[in-house]
Amino acid sequence: MPATGGGGFSRAGAQSYAAAWARAARRLGFVPLSAAEAERLLLDHTEQLAGALLAEAFTARPAESVGRALVEAHLAEPGLLDWSVAALGDRFVAQVLPDRAGRPGTAQRVAALQGGLAAGFARALRDRTFTQQERIARSAWQARDLVEQALRDSEARFRAVFVGAAIGIGIAGVDGQIIEVNQAFADMLGYSVGELRRTNVASLFHPDDAAGMWELYQALIEGKHDAARVEKRYYRKDGSIVWTDLAVSLIRHDDGRPRFTVAMIEDITERYELQQRLRFQALHDPLTGLPNRTLFFETLGQVLADAGPDHRIGVCFLDLDGFKAVNDSLGHDLGDRLLVVIARRLAECVSGHGHLVARMGGDEFVILVDGGEDIDDAVGVAEMALAAVSAPVHVGDQQLAVSASIGIVECPAGETSASELMKAADTTLYWAKAEGRGRWAVYDPERSARDIARSALVAGLPAALDRGEFVVHYQPIVSLLDSSMVAVEALVRWQHPELGLVGPDQFIGLAEETGLIVRLGEWVLGQACRDAEAWRRAFPEAKLVVSVNLAARQANDPAIVETVAGALGRTGLPAALLQLELTESAVMGTAGEPLRALHQLADLGVRLAIDDFGTGYSNLAYLRRMPIHCLKLAGPFVEGIRPGDVDPAPDAPAASAAAASVFAASTDHRDERIVDALVRLAHALELWVTAEAVETEAQAERLRSLRCDTGQGRWFGPPVPAAEITARLRDDAEGAP
C-alpha cells in the first residue's frame, strides 16, 4: 500500500505528479520560480485537488482556486493549461488517488474538477487581462504594439479555456440573444454551436420556471445583481428536459452599464432524479405505494396551517380486523399481498373524491377528509372504505373475507392540531374495535375524557398503594333472628388526593386488569385482620367475623394459602373469625390447584362464602363438594321482593300487620319464591345464608320469615370506617344485660 497523506491520497504519488507538472511548466513556458519552489507550489495544488475529490460534500471550487493560483503564479501558458486539464483526467486519479480509480462518481468529479480548473484559470486570465489592458491603455504611448500582442495572447488563452472547458459556458447580450457558447454547452442541450448563436435564452427556459427566471435575469441585466446561481430546467433540442446548476455573472462597461452575461452551466439531471427518487421513497410506503405517515403528517400540517376559520377537517383511522391471524396462519407473504389489494381498493374508492389515503404502518390506514361540511361527510367516506374492504379478496388460491374498524374524528380545523387529531382518531378506533368487527365509531369528547380519567387512575394505582392512600370501610352483617351484628364485610376505598374518596366500582376492575388486585387484596386482607383482631381483644364476647372479598386472580394465585396464613399469623386473628368471599363464577370454574387451595384454606379454619350467588353458572352437584360455609344471595333477588311504594326510613317502627298485608299484596312472588328456594337449598347443604342489598324494613321482615340467616345492606348500615364499627360494638356491649 502506498503511503497516504492526511486526506487519504498517495503522498508519493502526489509528489511524483507535482514534479511532472513542474517539468511540464518549465518545458511549455517561462517559470518565474526555481525548480524546488515550483514543485512545492504545485504539490500544494495537487493536494488541494486530491482533497476536493475525496471530500464528502463535493465542490469544484478548490479546482477553480488552483486555476486562479496558476495564473497568479504566472504559470499561465495555454499549453500548460492544456497539459494540466489533460493530466487531471488521464493520470491524476491513477497516480495520486489509486483507491478511487473506477469507483462510482469518480469520473464525474474529475470532470467537474477539470472544468473548475479551466474556469478558474479563465477567470484569472480574464481578470489579469483586464488589468493588463488597463495598464497598457495607460501606457499605450510606450508600447502600442506590445498591447496589441498582449490582447491577442489574452484572447488566445481565453479561447483555449472557453473551448476546452468541461462545463457549458455561454455569453449573451442584455437582450437575451446568445452571442457565443462553447461545445460543452451545445452538447448539453443537443444543439450545434451555430444554432445556439441564433437562439434567445428565453426559448430554452422551461415554462414552469420561466417567470421566475425572467425576473432573476431582468434584475441581473438591470445591474441590481452582479451574479446569480440557481438550479433550473432547460429544454433539449429533442424536447427532453435537462436539470442544470446555473451560475450567471454580469459583465459591465467601464462606466458600469451592463454589457453582457456569462453563464456557466453544469448538467445535474442524474443527481436531481436521484434526489426525487429518494424523496419518493422517503414519503411513500414501499409495499403499497401509498403515502406513508411522514407525507400524511406533512399534508395534514399544511392543511391545518392554510385552513380558514370555517374550514373543517376529518380523519378516518382504519385498522383491519384479525389481520394478525392471516399472517400467522397463511404467512407474511400472503398478508403483504392482501395489504396491497386493500391499499389499491382504498385508493380507488376514496382518492377519486379528493381525499388522501396513507398507510400508517402494519395493517393501519388513514384517510384525510379535507373540507367536508359536517360529520356526515366523514361517515360517508368511512362507509365507502368499509364497503371496499369487505368485498372478498382473492390472493393466490385463497379467498379471504376481510373486515375493518374505523375511528372517525371531524371538527373545525382551527380547533385542533395534527397530534390531537390523530390521538383522538386512535382512541376512537379502539372504541370501534371494542364494539365489534366491521364498524365505525365517531369521536366523543366526553367519553374520551372518561377514558383519560380511567387511564389516570390506572397509572396512579401502584403509587397510591405504595403511599398508603387506600382505606378499608366495613359494612355490618346483621343476624335476622335477633338484629345483632355478627360480621362485617371489608370494602376498600381509595382516598385520592384530588378526587376525594373513590369507590371500588371505579378502580377494582382496573386493578384486576393490571394484576395489581393481588397486591391490593393482600393489603386489604392484612388490614382487615388487624382491625378484626383489635375488635376481638376489645370485645371478646362479640366474636365478630370479618369478611374479605377474594378476586378470581387472587384465588388462582399459587401463594394464596401462604398469604392468608401469613396474615392470620402476623395479626393473631383466629381463622374462624375470617371469612373469604369469592364470586360464584370464580368458584364454579375452580379446578386442579385452585380447588386444592380452597380446601387448604378451609382446613386452616377460614370460612368461605360465595358472593352474588344466583347470578353465575351454578353447578349444584359441584357446589356440594366445595368447602363452602356461606352463600350470599345476589342483590337483584332481594330488590325483587321490594314493596311497590313502601320505602320506610331506617328508623321507622316495626312493620304492623297492616303493613305486612300491603307488603304481601305488592310483592313480586316469583322473586320471593326464588329467594325461598335458594335459602332452602343452602340450608339443605348446611350452608349459612346472607342476603345482600337489604334496603327496607319490609325486606328485612320478609327475609326473616323466609328463615334467611343474616342480612347486609343500607337498612342495617352503610360501609363506615373501623372507628364507627368500634363505637357500635361498644354501644352493643354497654346495652347488653
Side-chain angles (χ1 to χ4, degrees), residues 517-518 549-561 564 580-583 586-587 590-591 593-598 601 608:
I517 192 65
V518 175
N549 289 285
L550 205 62
R553 186 172 294 202
Q554 288 178 274
N556 293 327
D557 185 2
I560 183 60
V561 178
V564 174
L580 299 177
E581 297 186 15
L582 298 93
T583 61
V587 173
T590 300
E593 186 64 32
L595 179 58
R596 284 191 292 273
L598 293 184
L601 289 172
L608 299 176

Side-chain angles (χ1 to χ4, degrees), residues 2-4 9-17 95:
T4 59
F9 54 86
S10 170
R11 183 72 180 180
Q15 291 173 342
S16 176
Y17 184 91
Q95 192 168 351

Side-chain angles (χ1 to χ4, degrees), residues 6 34 53 133 177 217 246 278 364 455 460 481 534 559 622 658 709 715 728:
S34 67
L53 189 62
Q133 288 174 346
Q177 186 64 36
Y217 192 74
L246 171 66
L278 292 176
E364 293 180 342
S455 298
L481 180 63
Y622 188 64
D709 299 295
W715 175 255
R728 183 165 175 171

Side-chain angles (χ1 to χ4, degrees), residues 320-478:
L320 299 183
D321 297 324
F323 180 73
K324 183 179 184 299
V326 175
N327 271 343
D328 292 344
S329 60
L330 301 178
H332 288 270
D333 179 64
L334 190 142
D336 287 347
R337 293 162 66 187
L338 173 62
L339 289 175
V340 171
V341 173
I342 296 301
R344 184 178 67 249
R345 288 183 179 180
L346 290 175
E348 290 173 352
C349 79
V350 174
S351 298
H353 296 270
H355 306 309
L356 174 68
V357 182
R359 183 187 179 200
M360 299 298 282
D363 60 337
E364 293 180 342
F365 299 86
V366 64
I367 304 170
L368 179 61
V369 184
D370 182 20
E373 295 184 0
D374 51 33
I375 187 63
D376 292 339
D377 291 335
V379 170
V381 171
E383 290 179 341
M384 283 193 300
L386 288 180
V389 170
S390 63
V393 178
H394 295 272
V395 180
D397 57 354
Q398 299 284 340
Q399 177 173 318
L400 304 176
V402 184
S403 65
S405 301
I406 298 180
I408 305 172
V409 183
E410 196 276 342
C411 63
E415 297 179 2
T416 188
S417 65
S419 60
E420 291 173 351
L421 198 64
M422 292 310 300
K423 181 180 178 182
D426 189 45
T427 299
T428 312
L429 174 61
Y430 174 81
W431 296 345
K433 285 278 188 187
E435 293 168 3
R437 300 164 62 97
R439 65 182 61 208
W440 50 263
V442 176
Y443 180 69
D444 179 2
E446 295 182 0
R447 180 176 178 181
S448 177
R450 291 194 298 270
D451 285 353
I452 292 173
R454 182 176 182 272
S455 298
L457 287 177
V458 170
L461 276 173
L465 186 56
D466 294 336
R467 291 193 297 264
E469 294 179 1
F470 290 97
V471 296
V472 179
H473 286 188
Y474 298 91
Q475 186 168 33
I477 300 176
V478 174

Side-chain angles (χ1 to χ4, degrees), residues 47-186:
E47 292 178 353
Q48 189 174 358
L49 292 171
L53 189 62
L54 289 172
E56 181 177 353
F58 177 75
T59 175
R61 290 176 181 170
E64 296 178 12
S65 299
V66 170
R68 177 173 292 278
L70 290 175
V71 175
E72 291 173 351
H74 303 288
L75 304 178
E77 289 295 328
L80 180 59
L81 175 61
D82 291 340
W83 189 95
S84 301
V85 172
L88 186 58
D90 296 337
R91 60 196 296 181
F92 181 78
V93 173
Q95 192 168 351
V96 180
L97 300 165
D99 291 341
R100 291 285 300 191
R103 291 177 60 180
T106 299
Q108 291 83 351
R109 290 191 174 193
V110 168
L113 292 177
Q114 289 175 314
L117 180 65
F121 196 94
R123 291 193 186 98
L125 282 177
R126 184 189 62 190
D127 294 343
R128 195 176 76 170
T129 298
F130 290 163
T131 301
Q132 290 173 347
Q133 288 174 346
E134 183 178 358
R135 185 182 302 114
I136 292 172
R138 289 196 301 266
S139 305
W141 56 273
Q142 295 178 346
R144 189 175 301 275
D145 56 339
L146 295 178
V147 170
E148 293 176 355
Q149 184 61 45
L151 288 174
R152 286 194 296 271
D153 292 344
S154 176
E155 176 64 22
R157 288 191 293 269
F158 180 79
R159 178 58 56 183
V161 173
F162 185 81
V163 172
I167 63 172
I169 303 175
I171 302 173
V174 293
D175 58 355
Q177 186 64 36
I178 295 176
I179 300 172
E180 186 63 274
V181 296
N182 65 355
Q183 190 60 47
F185 192 109

